[in-house]
Amino acid sequence: MHESQRHFVAPPDEVEVLATDRVTDTGTPTSIWGDAWRRLRRNPVFLVAVVLIALVLLIVVWPSLFTGQDPRLCLGEYGMDTPRSGHPFGFDKQGCDIYARTIYGARASVSVGVGAALLFLLVGGVLGALAGFFGGVLDAIVSRVAEVFFAIPMVLAAIVLLQLLRPATVTTVILILVAFTWPQAARIARGAVIEAKNSEYVTAAEALGVSRLGTLGRHVLPNAAGPLIVVATLWLGVFIVTEATLSYLGVGLPPEIVSWGTDIARAKSEIRTSPILFYPATALAVTVLSFIMLGDAVRDALDPKERTR
């Protein structure tokens, strides 16, 4: 052996230990959802959206807390009267209290949005998750059926079907909206599940003997639910706007159901002479904007690129 290649190791008792390695405490590890919640609490957009949505939901559940007037009580002698005590927005052409109708109109409009978003999440999420996880024939069938519905414009299809199914109800509108939008959720769920099922924790779960359905429910879906929740939140605002559009066109909810869409349709003839259109339209815009802000905040919180910054 060459002299330069020789190595000498000192006995342990002759080496002075100057320092020891210490494991730095990095805190309690958090999950994706825990980290997202931490980011959301610091996001002012999320906080504003939550406050506005909480107010809207309170109006939907307990409208009597905000007005004691009957939104269906219309007195002809008060037609187009200006605001007065107990009637801060005045009266419409039929003599109905505009403030009471704006408050009670939230119930039908928000009910359509929330109901359609939940069903959209359930139907599209389940079909897309099953197609992405099991693949094969099931994936092919779901994908081909989804492509057919992708080719049909939602508003046009809703107009045609609601004309045939009149008078429409809140349930009817929800089912029709979901029938032509579930492929959006299915496509996103399918992609998220395909990405998640190839992860190491899924392989480990299958190696431990967990069934395929168990792996899907306990490991894949919780880690693939983020994009689906974001898109459902954003679509909730779209559903509320779509209901108002259909009611404005006269094919949505009937006039006897108080909603923002029907009130906007009732006020369109006075748009140049009275500001009564402003009240239901503003309530609709603020509500939709709140859910869009919520969806944007949740999307940013669940974005892996944002979490690495």
Side-chain angles (χ1 to χ4, degrees):
M1 178 181 294
H2 194 272
E3 187 69 24
S4 63
Q5 294 179 330
R6 295 185 179 224
H7 300 279
F8 299 94
V9 180
D13 55 350
E14 295 183 7
V15 178
E16 181 181 2
V17 179
L18 300 177
T20 57
D21 293 334
R22 199 182 320 177
V23 178
T24 303
D25 185 8
T26 58
T28 304
T30 59
S31 64
I32 294 177
W33 298 102
D35 185 57
W37 173 240
R38 180 181 56 82
R39 294 176 61 85
L40 286 174
R41 287 182 300 176
R42 301 177 181 178
N43 189 341
V45 174
F46 172 77
L47 298 178
V48 171
V50 167
V51 170
L52 292 175
I53 292 172
L55 178 61
V56 171
L57 294 179
L58 184 62
I59 293 174
V60 170
V61 178
W62 290 294
S64 58
L65 292 178
F66 299 87
T67 179
Q69 304 297 324
D70 185 355
R72 295 183 179 85
L73 179 60
C74 302
L75 303 175
E77 61 269 25
Y78 293 124
M80 302 302 294
D81 268 10
T82 56
R84 61 179 66 181
S85 178
H87 308 279
F89 293 168
F91 299 85
D92 62 11
K93 190 174 183 179
Q94 290 77 24
C96 304
D97 184 87
I98 299 175
Y99 175 72
R101 291 188 65 86
T102 302
I103 292 296
Y104 278 88
R107 175 169 291 177
S109 298
V110 175
S111 295
V112 169
V114 173
L118 291 176
L119 194 59
F120 166 87
L121 187 64
L122 178 63
V123 175
V126 169
L127 290 177
L130 292 175
F133 189 75
F134 292 102
V137 177
L138 179 60
D139 186 19
I141 293 175
V142 173
S143 298
R144 299 296 82 76
V145 173
E147 289 172 358
V148 172
F149 282 93
F150 268 126
I152 304 175
M154 177 184 64
V155 175
L156 179 60
I159 290 174
V160 174
L161 291 178
L162 287 172
Q163 287 280 16
L164 299 175
L165 300 174
R166 303 187 70 173
T169 63
V170 170
T171 303
T172 304
V173 175
I174 290 175
L175 292 176
I176 290 176
L177 292 179
V178 174
F180 294 96
T181 55
W182 67 266
Q184 301 283 348
R187 180 177 62 179
I188 293 174
R190 176 180 177 274
V193 167
I194 289 176
E195 181 180 359
K197 77 174 184 178
N198 295 320
S199 303
E200 293 180 356
Y201 57 84
V202 174
T203 304
E206 293 177 346
L208 292 174
V210 180
S211 65
R212 299 208 70 189
L213 285 178
T215 302
L216 175 63
R218 293 168 54 187
H219 300 284
V220 176
L221 285 181
N223 289 278
L228 202 56
I229 293 175
V230 171
V231 74
T233 306
L234 296 173
W235 269 93
L236 196 154
V238 175
F239 290 137
I240 295 177
V241 172
T242 304
E243 180 277 321
T245 302
L246 295 172
S247 297
Y248 178 83
L249 295 175
V251 296
L253 298 176
E256 55 267 22
I257 297 180
V258 182
S259 74
W260 291 330
T262 56
D263 281 0
I264 292 173
R266 285 159 58 105
K268 63 183 178 181
S269 58
E270 285 82 32
I271 188 172
R272 295 184 178 181
T273 59
S274 174
I276 60 177
L277 179 66
F278 172 79
Y279 303 111
T282 301
L284 174 67
V286 171
T287 301
V288 173
L289 178 62
S290 301
F291 283 108
I292 291 176
M293 290 168 58
L294 177 65
D296 287 340
V298 173
R299 180 190 59 197
D300 293 340
L302 292 174
D303 188 355
K305 295 180 181 179
E306 293 289 337
R307 292 200 303 271
T308 57
R309 294 181 181 178

